[in-house]
Amino acid sequence: MNYSDTYREQLLLDAVRSAEDAAIQLRQYAASVLEPAQTVPGDVFSDNSQAAVVEITPEGWLVASLPGVMPRRDDADCSRFLAGLLRDAIHRAFPEHDQPKFRACVLVYEHIYDISRSRRFIDHDNLELKHCQDVLEAAFLTNDTASLCSAFQCSHRGAQDGTRIWILPPEQFPKWLKSHPECWNGTTETMQE
């Protein structure tokens, strides 16, 4: 039987997608049956490059760093996995539940693409942010309603794939923009839809 190149590529993509779905389901199952001490994702990876980190910068800004670019909107399972990494990072950073609370804020989603790879940026409206934003709201925000919370997204190249989510008081956002020109003053790039 002779398959066309397009058909073979589609079969391969379907197989990869099925393998990813199976891996996510296995992680979720493991998280539901293993003891809590064994399920902290940052401890599971041999090098801490896959752990999410939440910290307060010297400027007093809160930043959550995730290992990878936010997934596409149709990949909710991966989004839930990143939300779990984020939740664990918050518990590690604030074990006494003494984290700051923001009544009004600007959420900045900084999408970082590995400079050594040639893939194109994903259009911002195709990225899934909801699961991680819900975790951040529960931990740090009074509410993420539009009257209290504004959002800004930017994409740029960096040393490795990642996402930083910044929570800033609204009056600090202009200062953040000035200190991060790579986030808004980059070259124009063809977007991937």
Side-chain angles (χ1 to χ4, degrees):
M1 186 179 285
N2 192 2
Y3 296 114
S4 71
D5 288 342
T6 305
Y7 183 70
R8 281 194 305 251
E9 286 177 11
Q10 187 60 47
L11 284 175
L12 179 60
L13 287 173
D14 290 345
V16 168
R17 194 170 289 127
S18 293
E20 288 175 358
D21 289 344
I24 290 167
Q25 289 174 8
L26 180 60
R27 283 187 203 115
Q28 290 173 341
Y29 175 70
S32 69
V33 298
L34 294 175
E35 294 295 318
Q38 296 174 299
T39 61
V40 178
D43 296 339
V44 172
F45 298 99
S46 58
D47 63 358
N48 267 341
S49 68
Q50 294 297 309
V53 176
V54 175
E55 60 189 339
I56 298 177
T57 68
E59 298 87 0
W61 303 331
L62 191 131
V63 61
S65 301
L66 295 168
V69 177
M70 298 299 279
R72 290 181 175 273
R73 225 172 255 247
D74 58 352
D75 194 0
D77 288 336
C78 190
S79 298
R80 281 194 212 64
F81 179 68
L82 285 176
L85 288 177
L86 182 55
R87 196 174 293 108
D88 290 334
I90 292 167
H91 291 304
R92 284 193 309 274
F94 301 100
E96 303 298 318
H97 303 287
D98 57 347
Q99 64 263 32
K101 284 285 190 181
F102 294 81
R103 174 166 162 59
C105 71
V106 176
L107 286 176
V108 176
Y109 292 91
E110 181 185 359
H111 310 288
I112 305 163
Y113 291 81
D114 186 336
I115 200 163
S116 68
R117 298 174 65 191
S118 62
R119 69 186 166 127
R120 296 179 179 170
F121 292 174
I122 299 171
D123 196 0
H124 289 154
D125 67 350
N126 290 332
L127 294 171
E128 177 58 60
L129 309 177
K130 180 179 178 8
H131 296 290
C132 287
Q133 185 163 323
D134 287 346
V135 171
L136 293 171
E137 177 190 16
F140 302 111
L141 309 181
T142 302
N143 195 310
D144 67 351
T145 180
S147 63
L148 297 176
C149 182
S150 297
F152 175 77
Q153 290 190 67
C154 56
S155 294
H156 63 88
R157 300 275 180 203
Q160 62 187 29
D161 283 346
T163 301
R164 287 190 201 110
I165 307 171
W166 301 81
I167 303 178
L168 310 167
E171 65 276 4
Q172 290 291 310
F173 181 57
K175 183 177 178 183
W176 183 90
L177 278 173
K178 284 182 184 173
S179 64
H180 293 82
E182 71 279 6
C183 292
W184 55 271
N185 196 14
T187 60
T188 303
E189 206 159 328
T190 306
M191 301 304 263
Q192 188 180 55
E193 292 183 23

